[in-house]
Amino acid sequence: MQIYQVGGAVRDRLLGLPVKDRDYVVVGATPEQMLAAGYRAVGKDFPVFLHPDTQQEHALARTERKTGKGYKGFSVYAAPEVTLQEDLARRDFTINAIAEADDGSLIDPFHGQLDIQKKLLRHVTDAFSEDPVRILRAARFLARFTEFTVAPETMLLMREMVAAGEVDALVAERVWQEIAKGLMEKQPSRMFEMLRECGALKVILPELDRLWGVPQTATYHPEVDTGIHVMMVIDYSAKQGYSLPVRFAALTHDLGKGTTPADVLPRHIGHELRSVDLIREVVARLRVPNDCKDLALVVAKYHGKLHAARQMKASTLLQFLEELDAFRQRMRFEDFLLACECDSRGRLGLEDCPLADAEHLAMALQAALTVDAGAIAKQCSSPAHIKQAVAEARIHAIQAILR
């Protein structure tokens, strides 16, 4: 039995990055031997065991054979005679196909160290084309490793995979999982730009793909192109370290601009409600979690209205806060303002623009929250009177800050 550290831990150490998760491959062992040594079996699709002390994952060396479309269309063969090189050969990129022995020596049959030096994502073998998830992983790695590029032969292979319909076989949960991870990386725009370059974005997120080439009014959007704007918005959200719901809302807030009739461009009248409809389709198809869905819908519907906050009278501000459900959903309201901040500052040359409307709306909410609704309720005879009295008190409180 020989044990080697493999994958991301080896790669990240060579890149000078912190090592988070450590994975190991075991050569020359059977499942029975692993269990006898105290390991606990946890793998469903192939033999994976947890170390009895460290609880780190140890997988038996294995090979894979394509049996159908999609990332689950494989048969796995794990046996003592499977060599380390055979196991490394089934991996996605050369930078992930490096193993480290107990003495620190590296086994690098596919020259992953050289590709790390070149800052290059290159597939190990043509077996890469058998798993469409690897396209998503390539895109996510570009978002994380911002100095890396994709090898031309790997980009060509991914285009062939898209043309062959492999991406169509991806399951929704896995697509969302990779998109969510990519959104949380350093520069998420690189993920979507790569997916667009190889043609995969048109398959998994056509609502986003169609935004490139759609013009906006240059007065408000010096970058003009809607696709470029959205990429600037999500990169701003990443730079600020905002949460996944905020980043997803930033990604989807302008989807409706892709369906604006050509004869009214570069204006986008009513794009907010069209965005809402498209987001509903996206979140249903990809099974997006509720916190991401709910914020994205609110941001899409109301981000345009926010820009008029300073022109609103007190009663209109209160109505807007109620539409946002700001009194009950305080954290979501704060995230709404963050996503709108990303929208405002994700524009060419306007990365530091003031956020006066957002600050104005936040002040209005703070003023309205000073009203003691419980005390007012004790003085009223009916629910209708309570609602009216609380609203009037909140309007007066908001008016006080506007003077």
Side-chain angles (χ1 to χ4, degrees):
M1 183 189 298
Q2 294 174 301
I3 299 176
Y4 300 89
Q5 190 170 190
V6 293
V10 181
R11 176 200 66 219
D12 289 348
R13 183 180 66 78
L14 293 173
L15 284 167
L17 300 173
V19 174
K20 297 180 181 179
D21 299 319
R22 297 181 185 274
D23 295 308
Y24 297 84
V25 63
V26 182
V27 179
T30 64
E32 291 75 19
Q33 288 174 312
M34 297 294 288
L35 294 172
Y39 288 80
R40 181 164 60 89
V42 293
K44 294 181 179 179
D45 300 322
F46 49 85
V48 179
F49 301 84
L50 297 183
H51 190 282
D53 298 322
T54 66
Q55 300 301 303
Q56 291 169 335
E57 287 193 356
H58 288 60
L60 296 188
R62 67 186 189 273
T63 59
E64 295 172 346
R65 184 172 61 86
K66 186 71 169 174
T67 58
K69 282 190 174 293
Y71 85 103
K72 288 190 174 182
F74 291 92
S75 63
V76 174
Y77 178 71
E81 63 267 23
V82 176
T83 67
L84 177 62
Q85 183 162 335
E86 286 175 324
D87 183 272
L88 294 176
R90 66 172 178 79
R91 297 177 183 270
D92 48 11
F93 305 105
T94 59
I95 64 171
N96 294 332
I98 308 170
E100 182 177 341
D102 286 341
D103 61 3
S105 60
L106 297 177
I107 299 90
D108 185 13
F110 303 102
H111 312 295
Q113 293 174 89
L114 181 59
D115 283 340
I116 285 177
Q117 293 173 14
K118 293 180 178 179
K119 300 288 191 282
L120 203 61
L121 271 186
R122 188 196 311 274
H123 64 282
V124 177
T125 70
D126 285 347
F128 178 97
S129 64
E130 297 175 349
D131 186 356
V133 170
R134 290 174 170 177
I135 295 178
L136 299 175
R137 282 172 57 81
R140 176 162 60 86
F141 281 146
L142 285 191
R144 179 190 301 178
F145 305 126
T146 56
E147 296 180 357
F148 274 67
T149 58
V150 176
E153 61 269 31
T154 302
M155 180 59 72
L156 177 61
L157 187 59
M158 290 191 292
R159 287 175 178 151
E160 292 173 350
M161 292 168 66
V162 173
E166 279 288 336
V167 175
D168 301 63
L170 285 168
V171 297
E173 292 88 350
R174 195 59 192 272
V175 173
W176 169 249
Q177 181 183 21
E178 295 296 328
I179 287 176
K181 288 179 179 178
L183 281 171
M184 295 307 293
E185 298 290 2
K186 184 177 180 181
Q187 192 176 345
S189 65
R190 303 190 81 223
M191 171 174 64
F192 297 105
E193 287 163 355
M194 195 223 82
L195 291 173
R196 181 169 175 260
E197 185 178 353
C198 73
L201 190 62
K202 186 178 293 186
V203 178
I204 63 175
L205 266 179
E207 300 86 355
L208 180 65
D209 182 76
R210 67 168 68 105
L211 295 183
W212 274 268
V214 176
Q216 303 167 108
T217 304
T219 304
Y220 303 108
H221 286 278
E223 72 285 350
V224 180
D225 190 287
T226 305
I228 293 174
H229 164 60
V230 171
M231 294 300 98
M232 294 177 69
V233 172
I234 60 173
D235 281 351
Y236 179 88
S237 71
K239 187 176 180 180
Q240 303 306 310
Y242 291 153
S243 67
L244 177 60
V246 172
R247 298 188 196 198
F248 181 69
L251 178 71
T252 57
H253 76 285
D254 268 349
L255 291 183
K257 289 184 177 179
T259 60
T260 298
D263 60 343
V264 300
L265 293 173
R267 296 181 303 155
H268 293 277
I269 300 169
H271 79 276
E272 293 90 351
L273 291 181
R274 295 199 302 277
S275 295
V276 167
D277 291 339
L278 290 170
I279 290 171
R280 291 191 188 281
E281 295 177 13
V282 169
V283 299
R285 185 174 71 245
L286 299 184
R287 301 179 186 178
V288 175
N290 286 336
D291 58 344
C292 292
K293 178 192 73 173
D294 293 343
L295 180 63
L297 291 172
V298 169
V299 172
K301 185 174 182 179
Y302 293 111
H303 70 276
K305 189 172 183 177
L306 176 64
H307 299 311
R310 283 178 296 165
Q311 283 71 53
M312 294 178 183
K313 58 185 180 180
S315 59
T316 308
L317 281 168
L318 178 61
Q319 181 182 358
F320 189 20
L321 290 169
E322 290 172 343
E323 289 173 345
L324 293 169
D325 203 10
F327 294 99
R328 295 191 308 167
Q329 302 275 359
R330 295 283 301 282
M331 291 183 63
R332 193 182 71 183
F333 173 75
E334 292 173 4
D335 283 346
F336 166 79
L337 295 182
L338 294 180
C340 291
E341 171 196 335
C342 298
D343 178 33
S344 294
R345 291 182 168 172
R347 297 179 292 167
L348 189 62
L350 297 171
E351 293 82 1
D352 297 312
C353 70
L355 305 168
D357 288 299
E359 293 166 357
H360 190 75
L361 187 62
M363 288 175 58
L365 177 61
Q366 290 304 314
L369 288 171
T370 63
V371 172
D372 189 344
I376 292 175
K378 293 178 180 178
Q379 302 171 12
C380 297
S381 57
S382 69
H385 290 156
I386 294 173
K387 183 177 180 180
Q388 181 179 353
V390 170
E392 290 174 354
R394 285 174 172 171
I395 290 171
H396 288 314
I398 293 172
Q399 284 174 332
I401 69 165
L402 299 181
R403 294 194 185 99

